[in-house]
Amino acid sequence: MTVLLDLPTDVLYTIFPYLDAGDFVALTSCTKALHTYRRDPNYWRDLTRTTFRIPPQPLLQADGARWQWLYRRLRTQTQLYTWGSNGCGNLGHGFLRTGQDTGDHVNDVDINTRNIGWPKRVLLHDMPEPIGIVADVQCGGWSTTLLNSIGNLYLCGGIDPSSAFMTRSVHRDRGRNTVAHQARKLKFPPAYPPTTKARYEPSTAISQFSTGRAHILGVSDDGKVWQWNSEEARLVKPLHVDVGAKVVTRVVAAGNAEADAILIDSATVPGTGFSLSRNGRETPDTLEARTGQVTNHILLENFVIFTTSLNKVFLYQAVFPLPDLDPPTPIEITAFYPSSPDTPFEIQDLQGSFRSFAIFTKSGNVLMGNRAMLDAFNTSTYDSTSREPSHPAPIVIPALQNNSITSIAFGDHHFQALRSNGTILAYGVDPQSCGALGLGFPEGTGPLRGLIAEHFSANGTLGHNVGRQVWFERLMQRWLGEMKEKASMDGEAKARGDLVLPRRGQPAQNVAAVTAVGNYFEREGQKWEEGVVDEGGKGSYFVLKVAAAGWHTAALVLVDEEQAERSRQMHVVPDEVDDGLKTEKYDWHGGTWEDIDAPWDQLTNALLWLRDSIWSLGRRFLGLQERDEKMEEEEKKETEQEDTGERTRYTWSDQPFPRLRMANGEVMPGEIEVTEWK
């Protein structure tokens, strides 16, 4: 009789995918030999992706332990954060009214313009229909789109400008100012019922989607391509392309699309039909063989960019309607190749949107291009008068090279770089000071992160090629707010505050001072969780995905609340009462007795405790309704939070606003000692 352990290894790997997580863990716990398969990366990767529809990421080279960690955390810790311009309800927070409590620091929420300057959590559990676990998020020009783990798409904001602003006006007229009316499930034609937990529908369960500036494309599990120009989908069938038995597995959207087209004009890009499986049948002289097999593609404004198995990069002008005769051949973008042919160059990924894109190499380099580069290559190819074309070089930001960057999300004027350790670096311009960078407003706490307020354009800018880590911890927001207040008040720190903080009618900010202060708080922020992070070095807020478009940003974050609370406690110091009295406390049947020297104080406290006890017993005897008890508990929590705020001071409470040495060698004014680099 053949036992399980006698089977070949490849047979075991064939059996494992048929087991759910519990059965797989139980099986691999039976014997020492089977225990070696417990953290098989292939099993946990496939299980995580199929269960939660996590999109494939070529740069996410996680081992079995990491994939197992992701599987466990995705069920309970996935949170959605958004920030930036919320003028169309595209952040999923609803429309804020003046005086509405947002839970944010006053310097990081502009209620009048509905902008959010600090990452704010979207209350997914408050939706009329529970969204469940969010598997993917993407941003459009006026929207944020969510994909949940069963394949449903939800929209915040509007797909195009007209629907976005109409949505805003309708919701404001009806007084619907909460997130519950902002995330709406995208619909399908009546002949195609939506997939649900109770009934799986392969034709409407979306496996992969892409958000353009003003439309959305999605691929269902059975390969159908759907397009949304409004909240109801249309089935896309390309003309002039023989799909045959092929199944569409990936779509990319960009720009706008016609709303009345079900049969869309289309064409095959010349030279992209090569397949490695047919290698040997193509001669080296053919266009397909010289191009190579397409490995990745993106769609920007008017251009298709694709990479091939020969480590080449091409552009193709996507002008619709496409020409009927003699379509042009793809143009090779040679600017990314090393100057020396002996230098290794291997492309690992291609990402981009709107007018910007990035090439990721296996050596850890990140090379970026833009619309100007594409126009230069396109013009020089078809302009016969251009004898010696000058092509722009790739944009190389030193801080992104060999820094474990896994993805970059591009907005109109800013971009966010995601690292493999789950942190985000923000770069670029904060347009109209809307908070798109997630570093606070230039008129608020933003200068402490290095933001310069431009008075004429109203933009907020970082230094050239300067990146700042985006923080999700709300207590860090309070830290910056209190430090800003110290620099704003009259006193020893005011002279330094005048250099850093923008003030109306005052000279512009001192760029060197703002940069020095931004560097200081960046370094201090990196120490926030020292001694608290888990064994794998993962912080309390681990970003899985970052998306950006227009003037806003979104991120899927795994939040370890227990670890975050331990980090907060490291920065909280209870006030010490020094009034000459004893403050020893004893718990007795839920009450608190303070042993105080003064006899009359002892009697007063005893009577107060007795009164509260009698009142509590009376309420129990009368029998309060469950909802009243919940309301009382909520009020109690709010009171406790307020009391804690009054009785608690933080590790920075006694720290002055820093006095620093600037890059030009000058020292900021003040009387305290200069804080040198550590």
Side-chain angles (χ1 to χ4, degrees):
M1 182 180 68
T2 303
V3 297
L4 186 63
L5 293 177
D6 294 334
L7 296 176
T9 302
D10 56 344
V11 175
L12 291 177
Y13 283 128
T14 305
I15 296 173
F16 291 158
Y18 293 93
L19 304 177
D20 60 25
D23 293 338
F24 179 76
V25 172
L27 175 65
T28 55
S29 301
C30 293
T31 66
K32 183 179 294 186
L34 288 173
H35 192 269
T36 59
Y37 298 99
R38 185 162 190 170
R39 291 188 173 180
D40 174 46
N42 294 325
Y43 173 82
W44 289 110
R45 181 189 65 240
D46 295 342
L47 180 66
T48 302
R49 286 180 174 173
T50 55
T51 303
F52 303 107
R53 294 178 180 264
I54 298 297
Q57 300 180 33
L59 292 173
L60 183 58
Q61 301 296 335
D63 54 16
R66 174 64 66 89
W67 281 114
Q68 187 179 20
W69 174 83
L70 279 175
Y71 180 83
R72 294 199 310 266
R73 297 295 189 268
L74 283 168
R75 288 189 175 277
T76 58
Q77 296 183 354
T78 306
Q79 301 287 351
L80 175 66
Y81 286 80
T82 57
W83 58 93
S85 174
N86 192 37
C88 301
N90 43 287
L91 299 185
H93 303 300
F95 295 104
L96 305 175
R97 295 171 174 169
T98 302
Q100 181 178 347
D101 181 17
T102 65
D104 290 271
H105 193 277
V106 66
N107 290 320
D108 296 301
V109 174
D110 187 344
I111 295 180
N112 294 323
T113 59
R114 298 168 297 274
N115 294 334
I116 307 294
W118 186 277
K120 181 175 174 61
R121 183 168 61 92
V122 179
L123 303 179
L124 297 174
H125 60 277
D126 283 351
M127 305 293 175
E129 176 183 347
I131 292 180
I133 300 173
V134 178
D136 194 10
V137 59
Q138 294 190 32
C139 295
W142 301 269
S143 65
T144 301
T145 308
L146 316 177
L147 173 68
N148 69 2
S149 58
I150 65 173
N152 291 322
L153 286 175
Y154 293 83
L155 178 72
C156 300
I159 295 179
D160 59 19
S162 59
S163 64
F165 287 104
M166 183 168 58
T167 299
R168 180 180 69 175
S169 61
V170 169
H171 288 179
R172 290 183 65 183
D173 291 342
R174 297 180 180 179
R176 299 178 176 181
N177 292 310
T178 64
V179 68
H181 298 90
Q182 295 309 302
R184 307 173 303 282
K185 182 189 289 187
L186 294 180
K187 303 174 183 177
F188 293 89
Y192 294 90
T195 189
T196 63
K197 287 185 177 181
R199 180 176 177 178
Y200 168 66
E201 296 288 346
S203 294
T204 56
I206 301 300
S207 61
Q208 183 265 332
F209 78 102
S210 178
T211 301
R213 196 162 186 84
H215 71 292
I216 300 170
L217 290 176
V219 180
S220 64
D221 285 354
D222 62 359
K224 290 184 175 62
V225 179
W226 297 95
Q227 176 177 305
W228 287 267
N229 297 92
S230 62
E231 294 186 21
E232 183 167 327
R234 293 176 179 269
L235 189 61
V236 174
K237 296 181 180 179
L239 290 172
H240 314 307
V241 176
D242 184 14
V243 177
K246 300 177 182 178
V247 177
V248 178
T249 58
R250 183 172 180 265
V251 292
V252 179
N256 303 324
E258 296 297 330
D260 57 353
I262 297 179
L263 298 176
I264 60 173
D265 194 6
S266 58
T268 300
V269 178
T272 59
F274 183 76
S275 175
L276 291 177
S277 62
R278 303 199 312 268
N279 194 9
R281 302 181 186 179
E282 302 284 354
T283 63
D285 295 333
T286 63
L287 177 62
E288 286 77 8
R290 293 194 301 269
T291 302
Q293 179 174 310
V294 175
T295 55
N296 201 350
H297 75 285
I298 57 175
L299 184 60
L300 307 183
E301 184 184 50
N302 297 334
F303 289 100
V304 177
I305 313 295
F306 62 91
T307 57
T308 71
S309 57
L310 300 179
N311 290 305
K312 295 182 178 181
V313 186
F314 293 87
L315 70 85
Y316 190 81
Q317 189 170 9
V319 180
F320 296 95
L322 294 170
D324 296 330
L325 300 174
D326 298 328
T329 58
I331 301 170
E332 187 172 1
I333 308 176
T334 58
F336 293 99
Y337 305 157
S339 57
S340 172
D342 297 331
T343 303
F345 179 76
E346 191 171 357
I347 298 174
Q348 187 164 21
D349 200 9
L350 167 68
Q351 301 175 14
S353 63
F354 194 34
R355 296 175 178 173
S356 303
F357 65 101
I359 298 290
F360 297 77
T361 69
K362 286 195 174 181
S363 61
N365 293 327
V366 179
L367 312 174
M368 294 193 293
N370 52 28
R371 177 64 185 268
M373 173 186 286
L374 301 179
D375 286 336
F377 272 91
N378 187 61
T379 302
S380 64
T381 301
Y382 297 108
D383 186 2
S384 58
T385 63
S386 179
R387 297 181 179 179
E388 295 182 1
S390 177
H391 297 145
I395 301 171
V396 179
I397 298 178
L400 298 182
Q401 311 310 311
N402 300 298
N403 199 14
S404 302
I405 304 298
T406 62
S407 67
I408 295 181
F410 293 96
D412 285 3
H413 306 281
H414 73 289
F415 67 90
Q416 312 266 343
L418 176 62
R419 301 181 62 204
S420 61
N421 63 358
T423 59
I424 298 175
L425 298 176
Y427 288 84
V429 176
D430 184 11
Q432 297 293 301
S433 300
C434 67
L437 293 173
L439 305 176
F441 294 137
E443 301 290 338
T445 58
L448 276 63
R449 303 302 316 277
L451 275 179
I452 304 292
E454 297 182 353
H455 295 294
F456 294 103
S457 64
N459 294 333
T461 61
L462 287 171
H464 180 64
N465 290 343
V466 173
R468 300 294 187 202
Q469 183 175 330
V470 178
W471 298 336
F472 295 88
E473 173 53 51
R474 302 297 295 278
L475 191 57
M476 299 180 76
Q477 185 180 5
R478 179 167 183 168
W479 167 42
L480 290 182
E482 293 187 6
M483 297 302 288
K484 174 182 176 291
E485 291 176 2
K486 293 180 180 181
S488 304
M489 298 173 60
D490 291 334
E492 189 272 338
K494 187 177 185 302
R496 298 191 294 279
D498 291 339
L499 295 178
V500 176
L501 303 177
R503 306 185 193 277
R504 294 183 179 179
Q506 298 294 328
Q509 297 160 278
N510 185 301
V511 176
V514 175
T515 303
V517 170
N519 291 336
Y520 169 81
F521 283 103
E522 184 76 7
R523 297 195 310 271
E524 294 299 310
Q526 293 172 357
K527 305 175 186 177
W528 184 265
E529 290 193 316
E530 280 188 350
V532 181
V533 294
D534 64 11
E535 296 179 357
K538 295 179 287 293
S540 302
Y541 300 87
F542 187 92
V543 181
L544 290 175
K545 171 72 179 290
V546 62
W551 294 8
H552 65 288
T553 310
L556 281 179
V557 186
L558 295 180
V559 182
D560 188 339
E561 187 57 40
E562 293 183 359
Q563 181 172 309
E565 182 59 28
R566 292 197 302 270
S567 298
R568 297 184 195 111
Q569 293 303 317
M570 291 178 57
H571 301 277
V572 176
V573 180
D575 282 342
E576 296 179 359
V577 181
D578 186 13
D579 52 6
L581 303 178
K582 296 180 181 179
T583 56
E584 299 178 4
K585 299 182 179 181
Y586 306 89
D587 286 336
W588 185 61
H589 296 292
T592 301
W593 179 275
E594 295 185 356
D595 184 9
I596 304 176
D597 286 339
W600 290 108
D601 289 340
Q602 293 184 27
L603 179 60
T604 301
N605 282 315
L607 292 175
L608 290 174
W609 175 84
L610 182 62
R611 183 201 64 180
D612 293 341
S613 299
I614 295 174
W615 176 251
S616 178
L617 290 173
R619 288 171 63 85
R620 291 184 182 180
F621 177 77
L622 294 175
L624 295 175
Q625 296 181 3
E626 183 178 358
R627 64 177 183 179
D628 294 334
E629 292 179 348
K630 289 183 178 180
M631 291 177 61
E632 183 182 1
E633 184 66 24
E634 291 177 359
E635 292 176 357
K636 180 180 178 182
K637 288 181 179 179
E638 293 178 359
T639 303
E640 288 176 350
Q641 291 175 357
E642 293 176 359
D643 291 344
T644 301
E646 294 177 358
R647 292 198 302 245
T648 303
R649 62 187 178 89
Y650 299 91
T651 54
W652 62 80
S653 298
D654 296 330
Q655 296 176 0
F657 188 80
R659 184 184 178 207
L660 305 169
R661 189 182 306 278
M662 297 177 283
N664 56 13
E666 297 181 6
V667 176
M668 298 173 67
E671 301 173 359
I672 64 174
E673 294 184 2
V674 177
T675 302
E676 301 289 354
W677 289 83
K678 298 180 180 180

